[in-house]
Amino acid sequence: MISQKTRYALRALLFLVEEAGGAPVQLARIASSQNVPPKYLELIMLELKKAGFVRSSRGPRGGYALARTADLISFGQVVRALEGPIALVPCASANFYAPCGDCHDEATCAIRRAFLILRDQSTAVLDSISLARGAEWEERTGAGKQPA
């Protein structure tokens, strides 16, 4: 299960895609529209900035905007940046591998093999869904249509 922080981050990013058209959006507007406490969203946006997903600008027309186009940011990238590994067991992680410690033979371990398959399939799906596609789903759902 992903954390509430990651869900808020995805909601904020999708809002930037849907509303901004590339122009910076003030944090207060994002927070109120997405029903996220402003102080908490500020911390989330700083993490998103550090990960290279958003940029910020100061001043009366300042705020947050996507640092790259929405088609170049995937759900998988955001989840990994905020949650760490997508794998459910450490020995199945591609980027954060660690031995389980209780496995007799990692090469023949059925548990590891099952979770490697799960990791590969879930990351493939998450990496194939861009913020642009997610925003399209939001618009379709908002209009009473089912996502494709």
Side-chain angles (χ1 to χ4, degrees):
M1 220 187 296
I2 64 170
S3 66
Q4 186 65 46
K5 177 176 79 170
T6 300
R7 290 179 61 205
Y8 284 157
L10 287 166
R11 297 285 335 131
L13 290 167
L14 288 167
F15 181 78
L16 290 177
V17 174
E18 295 167 23
E19 296 292 319
V25 179
Q26 292 184 344
L27 184 98
R29 183 168 165 228
I30 301 168
S32 69
S33 71
Q34 299 305 306
N35 215 14
V36 181
K39 289 287 186 189
Y40 191 41
L41 183 59
E42 187 173 353
L43 296 173
I44 293 168
M45 297 307 283
L46 287 174
E47 281 191 56
L48 293 173
K49 182 179 177 182
K50 183 179 175 184
F53 299 123
V54 298
R55 59 181 168 75
S56 64
S57 55
R58 296 179 184 256
R61 293 182 182 240
Y64 288 92
L66 293 180
R68 306 188 293 248
T69 60
D71 61 322
L72 295 179
I73 301 171
S74 74
F75 274 56
Q77 291 170 328
V78 176
V79 170
R80 275 191 289 282
L82 291 158
E83 298 283 336
I86 291 176
L88 297 177
V89 293
C91 66
S93 177
N95 299 321
F96 302 93
Y97 170 84
C100 291
D102 59 355
C103 184
H104 297 292
D105 181 14
E106 197 173 84
T108 62
C109 179
I111 296 169
R112 180 172 190 263
R113 186 170 295 181
F115 283 94
L116 282 169
I117 293 167
L118 176 64
R119 181 213 62 204
D120 290 347
Q121 291 183 3
S122 61
T123 56
V125 170
L126 288 172
D127 288 339
S128 75
I129 302 169
S130 68
L131 291 179
R133 187 170 183 201
E136 289 173 6
W137 289 345
E138 291 279 326
E139 290 170 12
R140 287 187 200 140
T141 303
K145 298 178 183 172
Q146 291 298 317

